[in-house]
Amino acid sequence: MTDRVMNVADLVAIDVHTHAEVGKDGHGSLSPELFGASEEYFKAHGHRKPTIAQMADHYRERKMAAVVFTVDAEHATGHRRIANEEVAESCAEHADVLIPFASVDPWKGRAGAREARRLVEEYGVRGFKFHPSLQGIAPNDRTAYPLYQAIEELGVPALFHTGQTGIGAGVPGGGGVRLKYGDPMLVDDVAVDFPELRIILAHPSFPWQDEALAVATHKPYVYIDLSGWSPKYFPPQLVRYANSLLQDKVLFGSDYPVITPDRWLADFDKLEIKPEVRSKILKDNAVRLLGLGTE
């Protein structure tokens, strides 16, 4: 453990979407085939596997904090995950800048719910990441409901990948990744059935951007993160809603390391976002959602 403590007031931004892509033993979060496809999709050759400690240095230099997670898709892919405990412990060593999320495969059902409780109560995990297309399960599949119930009761957010994904892109059959599970309307069912669960729809949700905006405006505890795309490619309706109706529910996320916060912020600076909204997106909304600075 460390005596480092997050000073929220000194942070310039909070990135709610970054990936731990390699464990301490060198094990990757994806199979070589899927990782290679993602690397090619994002044109991110040569800088895709920082350690969690290196991620901490990257964000500390920029006076930013970052949410860190991996993806547990063991059932669908057969690929061993990076341990949630390792992610949490590594983030705890850099608690001034890193915020641990976990990932539990929804196919694990009640066993997954028990793991979620243990991770929050014993390891200080602050939220959970789901990637329905990679995990091979619709977000509203009842198999996942014991896990969602546990997360709702624990009072931490659930972040769902939405829209298309670079994982599996260009691989025959998309590497088994089914894009239909990225439709935000499937998450709308989750928001109905777990009305107190805080939900983050990750990414501009191509080709379902309007659906994501509809869910986020209709359901009070559904948020949108802006990761995975350069802001210069954001659909105009996303920018319009972020600047108005959803200004309190939109979050800065980069998808680091596939997109760096430097590139994202440089392009975000060029958007016509109101000054008072800009600070909400970059930091304030995340502070409130994650309960930072209230301990």
Side-chain angles (χ1 to χ4, degrees):
M1 297 294 289
T2 177
D3 58 0
R4 296 184 186 210
V5 176
M6 184 174 293
N7 187 333
V8 175
D10 287 346
L11 297 174
V12 299
I14 298 172
D15 187 339
V16 302
H17 196 121
T18 77
H19 288 266
E21 295 199 328
V22 61
K24 291 181 179 178
D25 61 357
H27 176 71
S29 61
L30 296 171
S31 69
E33 179 184 44
L34 290 179
F35 184 86
S38 174
E39 191 173 46
E40 180 63 30
Y41 180 85
F42 284 102
K43 308 300 183 202
H45 302 284
H47 62 272
R48 275 292 305 277
K49 290 189 177 182
T51 65
I52 292 178
Q54 289 170 333
M55 293 173 69
D57 290 340
H58 189 85
Y59 282 86
R60 191 176 291 118
E61 289 168 0
R62 289 156 178 78
K63 295 186 177 180
M64 298 179 196
V67 169
V68 181
F69 46 70
T70 185
V71 177
D72 178 0
E74 291 181 338
H75 175 85
T77 69
H79 185 76
R80 175 173 59 88
R81 66 181 176 181
I82 297 172
N84 287 312
E85 294 84 354
E86 178 182 330
V87 174
E89 290 171 347
S90 295
C91 287
E93 294 170 2
H94 303 279
D96 57 323
V97 291
L98 299 184
I99 302 159
F101 272 32
S103 183
V104 177
D105 195 325
W107 288 106
K108 294 176 179 176
R110 296 189 183 282
R114 287 195 298 272
E115 180 181 0
R117 293 184 188 282
R118 180 175 58 82
L119 288 167
V120 171
E121 293 167 358
E122 298 180 16
Y123 287 86
V125 162
R126 304 294 291 260
F128 289 83
K129 157 71 182 235
F130 296 95
H131 197 309
S133 295
L134 183 60
Q135 291 168 328
I137 186 170
N140 59 357
D141 191 301
R142 295 306 192 267
T143 303
Y145 274 32
L147 178 54
Y148 299 155
Q149 181 179 348
I151 296 171
E152 182 184 47
E153 291 172 356
L154 291 162
V156 297
L159 186 153
F160 290 85
H161 172 95
T162 64
Q164 192 182 16
T165 177
I167 298 173
V171 177
V177 174
R178 298 181 188 274
L179 298 181
K180 66 181 180 180
Y181 294 144
D183 186 340
M185 291 306 295
L186 300 175
V187 185
D188 184 66
D189 284 346
V190 180
V192 170
D193 295 334
F194 298 93
E196 297 299 321
L197 178 63
R198 272 54 177 172
I199 293 171
I200 303 170
L201 302 176
H203 316 307
S205 304
F206 173 79
W208 299 290
Q209 185 61 74
D210 289 343
E211 287 84 341
L213 294 171
V215 175
T217 53
H218 190 259
K219 300 300 187 294
Y221 299 135
V222 175
Y223 297 72
I224 292 175
D225 89 34
L226 300 175
S227 67
W229 290 41
S230 163
K232 69 181 178 181
Y233 298 121
F234 286 174
Q237 67 269 39
L238 175 59
V239 177
R240 186 167 65 251
Y241 272 73
N243 220 6
S244 55
L245 290 178
L246 293 179
Q247 62 181 274
D248 295 318
K249 300 177 73 179
V250 175
L251 308 160
F252 161 46
S254 68
D255 217 6
Y256 181 80
V258 299
I259 294 177
T260 66
D262 294 351
R263 178 192 173 189
W264 193 99
L265 289 168
D267 289 342
F268 184 68
D269 282 345
K270 298 171 185 174
L271 293 184
E272 293 185 4
I273 300 290
K274 301 170 187 173
E276 65 272 21
V277 174
R278 193 172 294 273
S279 62
K280 291 181 178 182
I281 293 173
L282 292 181
K283 175 181 171 182
D284 299 342
N285 292 342
V287 169
R288 187 179 68 257
L289 175 60
L290 298 175
L292 300 176
T294 61
E295 289 84 354

